Amino acid sequence: MATLNVNGRDYPLPADGNTLLLYVLRDDLGLTGTKYGCGMAQCGACTVHLDGQPVRACVTPVAQALGAKVTTIEGLAADGRLTPLQQAWIEEQVPQCGYCQSGQLMEAAALLQTNPNPSEAEIREALNGHLCRCGTYNRIVKAIQAAAGKL
Amino acid sequence: MSHKPKSTPMIRLRLSRREFMKLTGLAGAGLVIAWAADGAANLAAAQPGGQNGSSGRAASQNVDAWLSIGAEGVITLFTGKVEYGQGIQTGFAQLAAEELDVPFERVSVVMGQTDRVPPDSGTFGSLSTRRTGPQVRLAAAEMRQWLLELGAVQFGLSLEQLSTRDGAVIVSSNSGQSVSYTELAAGKKVGREFSGQTKLKPPDQYSVVGQSIPRVDIPPKVTGEMIYGYDARVPDMLHGKIFRPPSLGATLASVDTSAAEVMPGVVGVFQNGDFVGLTAARIEQAEAALGAIQATWNETSSDLTSETIHEALKTTRDQGRVIQAIGDVSQALNAATKRVSAVIKAPYITHAPIEPPTALVWVQPEQTEVWTSTQSPFGVQAAVARTLGLSPEQVIVYPLMPGGAFGRKTITDAAIEAARLSQAFQRPVRVNWTRQEEFQFGRFRPALLIEVEAGLNEQNELVAWQYDLYAAAYYPPGTSQPTSAGANVGAEVGEFYSQIPNVKTTFYQAVSPLPPHYWRANGGPVNVLARETVIDELAEQAGLDPVTFRAGLLRNNPRLLAVLEAAVEKAGWQPGVGWTGQGVGVAISFVNDTYIAEVAQVAVDSGP
């Protein structure tokens, strides 16, 4: 039976392979930290990692995630302790409504994996595909810079 | 099967073969049940612009409605306001902790749950801290007074001999003697209203208010644990989808749902007039089934486009309403030595919360439960009760964290839709709108056209200000008064620049097909943009720095002048020196009791 590996756990695949990864995560696995925002990869709210790479779960058929390690916002603090990035997010008081922040955090985590000390321009470029309707962009940049200093 | 829309609502259930056999003893699929509910009138009554967003009920002044003392010194504050990232959950706890002399951590805040909190008209207009904050303080001060009185009885001392600290009444002269609030209250009710007579703590004694306490709602927002309306789920829940028209205002000519009814996972299709909704076990099954519905529509056409709307606002306007008149503006314009004319056009804009509208409704025999993202839990309660023919008390609304609000989440559409489907299918039903649905069927900040004529005299003083505001308006269902959702907010220039001797501000409304809705500060942003832009152009005509020119108009408004001066000082404002392609701009306003000055650094890509 096909299994889906999410946050280090194997789950039996509950839906057919064409079902969107977003729906499987949210409706079958109960991992609602990954958000629906637009359904067409335009806002970034649904960003998760496939083998460490940020992808938009709202346009990714679950079949594409088979054999890969899926990481969601719930799996970011893998050992139950907040990552420096999440700590920085709290210290900088980044979120307002917070709905987009799972996606922002997952994109930022992926950025810091490949570029541990990004410039402000690199941060803005990497997170360009993520919309925050509350307008927390400057705090996001600050939090990523703060986290980078700690890594 | 193709048929005309039914005036009698129909519910077409698709049951499993086993369930169907059990019910009927017959083989086959498809069951038609007549459904008697008056949906349309309820729906119309619940539309925004009707009673939506305001329950009309006065806020309670009963202390027990606001505060309770539980075990271990925990204070619970109850408020009809909701948190959506503006920080009031934290701020209200600070206010209560301060007045009650308890540690901040010991105050928990229950927000918006309609069976637990005092009635409230909704969370909007930057009113929570300004208007509800003082009520929290009064309720907490009254409770503290009550505790002091209980302490006086317990110790056999006068009130003057007692004080409060750390959740306890203490004997001032003897630091060893104290009794905790929990022990004093012992589950009793305060049983009194806050009158405003009880003394509030003087601000110079504050230790909690004024501190920048980290917001309590932030940690679960960085771990994915925060539950938003879109995340609501209960066991046995169905996913509902609404069959939308191709264009706003279209009505069904005919519809064929037979293919949708037999799609995998589909539980049934419900139809009542133009309202067609379906439910399925999984969201993707509901989405797929929606695509299988065939319909023809009667569409109304409109020539209006984003390009023509502003001209149409002028040609179809009403007779207008003068909302500010000082002196004789026509004469002053004629006599002016320099004139500025400006036209400002603002488009319709959508709220675009990243979380689209959403609601989960469970209609049960004894009570109906609603989980939703809302700025107005009591508005949702009223709308769902009207939809279902219930009294409001039979509906409990549990507001969940909204993923953005901006005024959009004072509208109760998703909750009404989910209520209708839950009633039809007798199961909990979640209706989560898609982004496309929100962009097409949401409501919009109305399109505005503003024409300004202003004039300077020989001394370069602003002596004439004529301001014509044209707003797209709309008749809410069942009303004869058009609304343009607060388009005139901020249009009166005299609130700011009270030195102008001749002013005429006229507010015109033109009816358009798109329903408008309150959007952040309503017309404020556009009116401020128009006013400040024209002020800049006048400053240029006068040959004066924009800050200097504004300062001359603020002689009767020293506080706003002080804010302007503070802002330009912090920004390192330098008077302009001609075209460089880069520069700074300034704007001021007075919004929601707040004096505001902004300095923006701007660069222009191409020359003037």
Side-chain angles (χ1 to χ4, degrees), chain B residues 538-588:
Chain B
L538 286 162
E540 191 172 7
Q541 287 284 318
L544 290 171
D545 176 79
V547 173
T548 310
F549 186 74
R550 281 177 173 79
L553 292 165
L554 292 174
R555 290 192 294 276
N556 291 343
N557 200 339
R559 190 162 171 185
L560 187 49
L561 178 58
V563 169
L564 170 63
E565 287 172 342
V568 296
E569 190 196 329
K570 276 180 184 292
W573 179 270
Q574 296 290 329
V577 287
W579 176 257
T580 63
Q582 290 186 31
V584 288
V586 65
I588 58 176

Tab-separated table of all heavy atoms in Angstrom, chain B residues 538-588:
chain	number	residue	atom	x	y	z
B	538	LEU	N	-1.626	72.623	-4.182
B	538	LEU	CA	-1.803	74.027	-3.785
B	538	LEU	C	-0.494	74.589	-3.217
B	538	LEU	O	-0.126	75.741	-3.491
B	538	LEU	CB	-2.923	74.137	-2.745
B	538	LEU	CG	-4.345	73.961	-3.297
B	538	LEU	CD1	-5.319	73.647	-2.161
B	538	LEU	CD2	-4.778	75.215	-4.057
B	539	ALA	N	0.201	73.778	-2.440
B	539	ALA	CA	1.480	74.227	-1.873
B	539	ALA	C	2.456	74.561	-2.996
B	539	ALA	O	3.173	75.572	-2.953
B	539	ALA	CB	2.057	73.146	-0.962
B	540	GLU	N	2.444	73.720	-4.036
B	540	GLU	CA	3.338	73.963	-5.166
B	540	GLU	C	2.965	75.266	-5.875
B	540	GLU	O	3.834	76.074	-6.214
B	540	GLU	CB	3.274	72.781	-6.141
B	540	GLU	CG	4.363	72.848	-7.192
B	540	GLU	CD	4.431	71.599	-8.050
B	540	GLU	OE1	3.549	70.736	-7.930
B	540	GLU	OE2	5.380	71.498	-8.848
B	541	GLN	N	1.646	75.475	-6.081
B	541	GLN	CA	1.182	76.727	-6.680
B	541	GLN	C	1.589	77.937	-5.847
B	541	GLN	O	1.909	78.994	-6.375
B	541	GLN	CB	-0.349	76.709	-6.798
B	541	GLN	CG	-0.892	75.796	-7.873
B	541	GLN	CD	-0.719	76.391	-9.263
B	541	GLN	OE1	-0.945	77.578	-9.462
B	541	GLN	NE2	-0.291	75.571	-10.204
B	542	ALA	N	1.553	77.735	-4.533
B	542	ALA	CA	1.887	78.835	-3.627
B	542	ALA	C	3.389	79.029	-3.496
B	542	ALA	O	3.844	80.006	-2.887
B	542	ALA	CB	1.276	78.567	-2.248
B	543	GLY	N	4.154	78.084	-4.034
B	543	GLY	CA	5.602	78.169	-3.916
B	543	GLY	C	6.088	77.891	-2.500
B	543	GLY	O	7.148	78.369	-2.078
B	544	LEU	N	5.310	77.115	-1.789
B	544	LEU	CA	5.661	76.821	-0.403
B	544	LEU	C	5.945	75.335	-0.216
B	544	LEU	O	5.405	74.488	-0.931
B	544	LEU	CB	4.508	77.224	0.531
B	544	LEU	CG	4.250	78.720	0.694
B	544	LEU	CD1	2.959	78.944	1.469
B	544	LEU	CD2	5.423	79.392	1.406
B	545	ASP	N	6.791	75.055	0.739
B	545	ASP	CA	7.031	73.670	1.131
B	545	ASP	C	5.717	73.061	1.641
B	545	ASP	O	4.956	73.742	2.332
B	545	ASP	CB	8.081	73.658	2.249
B	545	ASP	CG	8.323	72.269	2.777
B	545	ASP	OD1	9.042	71.519	2.110
B	545	ASP	OD2	7.771	71.938	3.846
B	546	PRO	N	5.439	71.801	1.308
B	546	PRO	CA	4.167	71.195	1.717
B	546	PRO	C	3.945	71.201	3.232
B	546	PRO	O	2.803	71.299	3.689
B	546	PRO	CB	4.258	69.756	1.206
B	546	PRO	CG	5.300	69.780	0.145
B	546	PRO	CD	6.240	70.901	0.474
B	547	VAL	N	5.023	71.092	3.990
B	547	VAL	CA	4.875	71.119	5.453
B	547	VAL	C	4.525	72.538	5.911
B	547	VAL	O	3.615	72.746	6.714
B	547	VAL	CB	6.154	70.615	6.148
B	547	VAL	CG1	6.050	70.804	7.664
B	547	VAL	CG2	6.401	69.147	5.797
B	548	THR	N	5.226	73.511	5.363
B	548	THR	CA	4.963	74.910	5.716
B	548	THR	C	3.535	75.302	5.359
B	548	THR	O	2.838	75.959	6.138
B	548	THR	CB	5.946	75.824	4.962
B	548	THR	OG1	7.266	75.323	5.163
B	548	THR	CG2	5.855	77.260	5.444
B	549	PHE	N	3.124	74.880	4.161
B	549	PHE	CA	1.775	75.215	3.709
B	549	PHE	C	0.724	74.608	4.638
B	549	PHE	O	-0.238	75.264	5.029
B	549	PHE	CB	1.582	74.723	2.266
B	549	PHE	CG	0.279	75.151	1.653
B	549	PHE	CD1	0.078	76.470	1.255
B	549	PHE	CD2	-0.744	74.233	1.453
B	549	PHE	CE1	-1.131	76.867	0.678
B	549	PHE	CE2	-1.947	74.625	0.875
B	549	PHE	CZ	-2.140	75.940	0.487
B	550	ARG	N	0.926	73.335	5.028
B	550	ARG	CA	-0.025	72.680	5.944
B	550	ARG	C	-0.025	73.368	7.307
B	550	ARG	O	-1.074	73.571	7.916
B	550	ARG	CB	0.325	71.197	6.109
B	550	ARG	CG	-0.137	70.339	4.945
B	550	ARG	CD	0.290	68.892	5.135
B	550	ARG	NE	-0.288	68.038	4.107
B	550	ARG	CZ	0.175	67.937	2.864
B	550	ARG	NH1	1.228	68.649	2.484
B	550	ARG	NH2	-0.414	67.144	1.986
B	551	ALA	N	1.165	73.695	7.775
B	551	ALA	CA	1.256	74.324	9.103
B	551	ALA	C	0.423	75.596	9.144
B	551	ALA	O	-0.224	75.901	10.154
B	551	ALA	CB	2.711	74.619	9.447
B	552	GLY	N	0.398	76.332	8.017
B	552	GLY	CA	-0.389	77.557	7.957
B	552	GLY	C	-1.883	77.307	8.075
B	552	GLY	O	-2.642	78.185	8.471
B	553	LEU	N	-2.307	76.094	7.719
B	553	LEU	CA	-3.732	75.755	7.773
B	553	LEU	C	-4.123	75.108	9.090
B	553	LEU	O	-5.288	74.793	9.309
B	553	LEU	CB	-4.071	74.794	6.625
B	553	LEU	CG	-3.981	75.383	5.216
B	553	LEU	CD1	-3.985	74.269	4.182
B	553	LEU	CD2	-5.133	76.347	4.970
B	554	LEU	N	-3.146	74.870	9.954
B	554	LEU	CA	-3.409	74.125	11.188
B	554	LEU	C	-3.306	75.003	12.424
B	554	LEU	O	-3.113	74.502	13.526
B	554	LEU	CB	-2.427	72.943	11.305
B	554	LEU	CG	-2.618	71.816	10.282
B	554	LEU	CD1	-1.500	70.787	10.412
B	554	LEU	CD2	-3.972	71.141	10.438
B	555	ARG	N	-3.459	76.314	12.235
B	555	ARG	CA	-3.298	77.202	13.390
B	555	ARG	C	-4.356	76.940	14.462
B	555	ARG	O	-4.125	77.175	15.631
B	555	ARG	CB	-3.327	78.665	12.935
B	555	ARG	CG	-2.078	79.054	12.147
B	555	ARG	CD	-1.974	80.557	11.954
B	555	ARG	NE	-3.048	81.081	11.112
B	555	ARG	CZ	-3.007	81.089	9.768
B	555	ARG	NH1	-1.949	80.616	9.130
B	555	ARG	NH2	-4.000	81.591	9.071
B	556	ASN	N	-5.530	76.426	14.037
B	556	ASN	CA	-6.567	76.107	15.033
B	556	ASN	C	-6.513	74.652	15.486
B	556	ASN	O	-7.410	74.184	16.173
B	556	ASN	CB	-7.963	76.375	14.450
B	556	ASN	CG	-8.196	77.855	14.268
B	556	ASN	OD1	-7.493	78.677	14.847
B	556	ASN	ND2	-9.174	78.185	13.435
B	557	ASN	N	-5.517	73.947	15.054
B	557	ASN	CA	-5.437	72.518	15.366
B	557	ASN	C	-4.025	72.206	15.866
B	557	ASN	O	-3.253	71.506	15.206
B	557	ASN	CB	-5.769	71.694	14.109
B	557	ASN	CG	-6.171	70.273	14.444
B	557	ASN	OD1	-5.849	69.758	15.517
B	557	ASN	ND2	-6.862	69.632	13.519
B	558	PRO	N	-3.679	72.742	17.050
B	558	PRO	CA	-2.289	72.646	17.511
B	558	PRO	C	-1.811	71.213	17.703
B	558	PRO	O	-0.627	70.916	17.523
B	558	PRO	CB	-2.302	73.403	18.843
B	558	PRO	CG	-3.733	73.495	19.255
B	558	PRO	CD	-4.535	73.479	17.990
B	559	ARG	N	-2.715	70.332	18.052
B	559	ARG	CA	-2.269	68.963	18.301
B	559	ARG	C	-1.864	68.274	16.993
B	559	ARG	O	-0.832	67.601	16.928
B	559	ARG	CB	-3.387	68.172	18.999
B	559	ARG	CG	-2.895	66.850	19.499
B	559	ARG	CD	-3.803	66.262	20.545
B	559	ARG	NE	-3.383	64.899	20.830
B	559	ARG	CZ	-4.029	64.076	21.629
B	559	ARG	NH1	-5.118	64.480	22.245
B	559	ARG	NH2	-3.595	62.855	21.828
B	560	LEU	N	-2.677	68.460	15.946
B	560	LEU	CA	-2.312	67.864	14.659
B	560	LEU	C	-1.040	68.522	14.121
B	560	LEU	O	-0.180	67.857	13.547
B	560	LEU	CB	-3.479	68.012	13.667
B	560	LEU	CG	-3.357	67.300	12.321
B	560	LEU	CD1	-2.939	65.848	12.466
B	560	LEU	CD2	-4.662	67.393	11.545
B	561	LEU	N	-0.915	69.817	14.353
B	561	LEU	CA	0.308	70.506	13.933
B	561	LEU	C	1.529	69.919	14.656
B	561	LEU	O	2.579	69.688	14.049
B	561	LEU	CB	0.185	72.009	14.228
B	561	LEU	CG	1.401	72.874	13.883
B	561	LEU	CD1	1.761	72.768	12.406
B	561	LEU	CD2	1.148	74.339	14.255
B	562	ALA	N	1.375	69.651	15.949
B	562	ALA	CA	2.490	69.082	16.712
B	562	ALA	C	2.866	67.696	16.192
B	562	ALA	O	4.053	67.343	16.119
B	562	ALA	CB	2.111	69.004	18.194
B	563	VAL	N	1.848	66.917	15.820
B	563	VAL	CA	2.115	65.576	15.267
B	563	VAL	C	2.844	65.703	13.931
B	563	VAL	O	3.811	64.984	13.663
B	563	VAL	CB	0.798	64.784	15.126
B	563	VAL	CG1	1.004	63.514	14.308
B	563	VAL	CG2	0.245	64.438	16.506
B	564	LEU	N	2.395	66.649	13.096
B	564	LEU	CA	3.060	66.878	11.808
B	564	LEU	C	4.528	67.262	12.026
B	564	LEU	O	5.426	66.721	11.377
B	564	LEU	CB	2.322	67.985	11.041
B	564	LEU	CG	3.006	68.518	9.778
B	564	LEU	CD1	3.141	67.423	8.721
B	564	LEU	CD2	2.219	69.705	9.208
B	565	GLU	N	4.736	68.178	12.952
B	565	GLU	CA	6.113	68.642	13.187
B	565	GLU	C	6.989	67.520	13.738
B	565	GLU	O	8.162	67.390	13.373
B	565	GLU	CB	6.090	69.858	14.126
B	565	GLU	CG	5.570	71.110	13.408
B	565	GLU	CD	5.333	72.300	14.336
B	565	GLU	OE1	5.240	72.081	15.562
B	565	GLU	OE2	5.231	73.433	13.817
B	566	ALA	N	6.418	66.702	14.609
B	566	ALA	CA	7.188	65.577	15.161
B	566	ALA	C	7.560	64.589	14.059
B	566	ALA	O	8.694	64.079	14.011
B	566	ALA	CB	6.381	64.880	16.253
B	567	ALA	N	6.610	64.332	13.149
B	567	ALA	CA	6.864	63.353	12.079
B	567	ALA	C	7.959	63.847	11.135
B	567	ALA	O	8.866	63.090	10.773
B	567	ALA	CB	5.569	63.074	11.310
B	568	VAL	N	7.872	65.114	10.731
B	568	VAL	CA	8.865	65.589	9.759
B	568	VAL	C	10.242	65.714	10.413
B	568	VAL	O	11.267	65.521	9.761
B	568	VAL	CB	8.441	66.924	9.098
B	568	VAL	CG1	7.168	66.729	8.294
B	568	VAL	CG2	8.284	68.052	10.094
B	569	GLU	N	10.248	65.960	11.713
B	569	GLU	CA	11.537	66.012	12.396
B	569	GLU	C	12.177	64.618	12.443
B	569	GLU	O	13.348	64.442	12.126
B	569	GLU	CB	11.358	66.561	13.812
B	569	GLU	CG	12.685	66.863	14.491
B	569	GLU	CD	12.548	67.022	15.997
B	569	GLU	OE1	11.481	67.470	16.453
B	569	GLU	OE2	13.513	66.667	16.701
B	570	LYS	N	11.370	63.627	12.805
B	570	LYS	CA	11.884	62.253	12.862
B	570	LYS	C	12.339	61.781	11.492
B	570	LYS	O	13.282	60.994	11.372
B	570	LYS	CB	10.800	61.301	13.382
B	570	LYS	CG	10.685	61.243	14.894
B	570	LYS	CD	9.586	60.258	15.294
B	570	LYS	CE	9.365	60.234	16.796
B	570	LYS	NZ	10.512	59.657	17.526
B	571	ALA	N	11.649	62.215	10.445
B	571	ALA	CA	11.963	61.755	9.097
B	571	ALA	C	13.115	62.543	8.474
B	571	ALA	O	13.580	62.203	7.386
B	571	ALA	CB	10.721	61.855	8.208
B	572	GLY	N	13.565	63.569	9.139
B	572	GLY	CA	14.634	64.385	8.560
B	572	GLY	C	14.179	65.129	7.316
B	572	GLY	O	14.883	65.201	6.312
B	573	TRP	N	12.994	65.678	7.389
B	573	TRP	CA	12.383	66.366	6.242
B	573	TRP	C	13.248	67.532	5.772
B	573	TRP	O	13.675	68.368	6.551
B	573	TRP	CB	11.006	66.877	6.672
B	573	TRP	CG	10.260	67.631	5.605
B	573	TRP	CD1	10.309	68.963	5.359
B	573	TRP	CD2	9.362	67.078	4.661
B	573	TRP	NE1	9.489	69.290	4.312
B	573	TRP	CE2	8.887	68.146	3.861
B	573	TRP	CE3	8.899	65.787	4.400
B	573	TRP	CZ2	7.976	67.949	2.837
B	573	TRP	CZ3	7.996	65.598	3.375
B	573	TRP	CH2	7.547	66.677	2.609
B	574	GLN	N	13.481	67.571	4.470
B	574	GLN	CA	14.172	68.713	3.872
B	574	GLN	C	13.232	69.326	2.844
B	574	GLN	O	12.671	68.606	2.020
B	574	GLN	CB	15.452	68.258	3.145
B	574	GLN	CG	16.508	67.660	4.041
B	574	GLN	CD	17.149	68.695	4.954
B	574	GLN	OE1	17.272	69.859	4.596
B	574	GLN	NE2	17.517	68.265	6.153
B	575	PRO	N	13.064	70.646	2.890
B	575	PRO	CA	12.216	71.277	1.876
B	575	PRO	C	12.687	70.917	0.464
B	575	PRO	O	13.890	70.764	0.225
B	575	PRO	CB	12.395	72.770	2.161
B	575	PRO	CG	12.771	72.841	3.599
B	575	PRO	CD	13.569	71.602	3.872
B	576	GLY	N	11.740	70.788	-0.433
B	576	GLY	CA	12.047	70.346	-1.781
B	576	GLY	C	12.952	71.304	-2.545
B	576	GLY	O	12.931	72.511	-2.314
B	577	VAL	N	13.787	70.736	-3.453
B	577	VAL	CA	14.709	71.547	-4.241
B	577	VAL	C	14.590	71.198	-5.717
B	577	VAL	O	15.570	71.079	-6.423
B	577	VAL	CB	16.182	71.364	-3.775
B	577	VAL	CG1	16.392	72.051	-2.448
B	577	VAL	CG2	16.551	69.877	-3.693
B	578	GLY	N	13.352	71.015	-6.182
B	578	GLY	CA	13.185	70.734	-7.603
B	578	GLY	C	13.268	69.252	-7.915
B	578	GLY	O	13.461	68.426	-7.029
B	579	TRP	N	13.148	68.947	-9.186
B	579	TRP	CA	13.007	67.557	-9.613
B	579	TRP	C	14.333	66.807	-9.504
B	579	TRP	O	15.338	67.201	-10.078
B	579	TRP	CB	12.512	67.496	-11.048
B	579	TRP	CG	12.445	66.084	-11.536
B	579	TRP	CD1	13.314	65.457	-12.360
B	579	TRP	CD2	11.461	65.113	-11.180
B	579	TRP	NE1	12.943	64.160	-12.551
B	579	TRP	CE2	11.802	63.918	-11.831
B	579	TRP	CE3	10.315	65.149	-10.359
B	579	TRP	CZ2	11.044	62.754	-11.694
B	579	TRP	CZ3	9.567	63.998	-10.238
B	579	TRP	CH2	9.936	62.825	-10.904
B	580	THR	N	14.305	65.722	-8.733
B	580	THR	CA	15.479	64.853	-8.634
B	580	THR	C	15.124	63.412	-8.933
B	580	THR	O	16.001	62.566	-9.027
B	580	THR	CB	16.076	64.888	-7.212
B	580	THR	OG1	15.098	64.376	-6.294
B	580	THR	CG2	16.467	66.294	-6.814
B	581	GLY	N	13.824	63.124	-9.058
B	581	GLY	CA	13.419	61.732	-9.248
B	581	GLY	C	13.249	61.003	-7.934
B	581	GLY	O	12.728	59.907	-7.890
B	582	GLN	N	13.726	61.602	-6.867
B	582	GLN	CA	13.522	61.020	-5.544
B	582	GLN	C	13.065	62.117	-4.610
B	582	GLN	O	13.396	63.277	-4.794
B	582	GLN	CB	14.830	60.438	-4.997
B	582	GLN	CG	15.270	59.203	-5.732
B	582	GLN	CD	16.466	58.578	-5.072
B	582	GLN	OE1	16.630	58.671	-3.860
B	582	GLN	NE2	17.302	57.941	-5.870
B	583	GLY	N	12.357	61.711	-3.612
B	583	GLY	CA	11.929	62.726	-2.671
B	583	GLY	C	11.109	62.144	-1.555
B	583	GLY	O	11.011	60.933	-1.398
B	584	VAL	N	10.545	63.043	-0.777
B	584	VAL	CA	9.684	62.623	0.313
B	584	VAL	C	8.349	63.332	0.176
B	584	VAL	O	8.262	64.437	-0.375
B	584	VAL	CB	10.299	62.931	1.693
B	584	VAL	CG1	11.466	61.996	1.987
B	584	VAL	CG2	10.738	64.379	1.785
B	585	GLY	N	7.325	62.677	0.661
B	585	GLY	CA	6.003	63.261	0.658
B	585	GLY	C	5.421	63.187	2.058
B	585	GLY	O	5.857	62.385	2.879
B	586	VAL	N	4.454	64.036	2.299
B	586	VAL	CA	3.859	64.084	3.632
B	586	VAL	C	2.348	64.093	3.506
B	586	VAL	O	1.797	64.603	2.522
B	586	VAL	CB	4.372	65.318	4.414
B	586	VAL	CG1	3.904	66.614	3.744
B	586	VAL	CG2	3.936	65.286	5.877
B	587	ALA	N	1.679	63.489	4.481
B	587	ALA	CA	0.222	63.550	4.550
B	587	ALA	C	-0.176	63.487	6.018
B	587	ALA	O	0.535	62.900	6.837
B	587	ALA	CB	-0.412	62.398	3.777
B	588	ILE	N	-1.301	64.120	6.324
B	588	ILE	CA	-1.785	64.100	7.702
B	588	ILE	C	-3.252	63.733	7.719
B	588	ILE	O	-3.967	63.881	6.718
B	588	ILE	CB	-1.581	65.462	8.414
B	588	ILE	CG1	-2.297	66.582	7.655
B	588	ILE	CG2	-0.099	65.763	8.557
B	588	ILE	CD1	-2.212	67.924	8.362
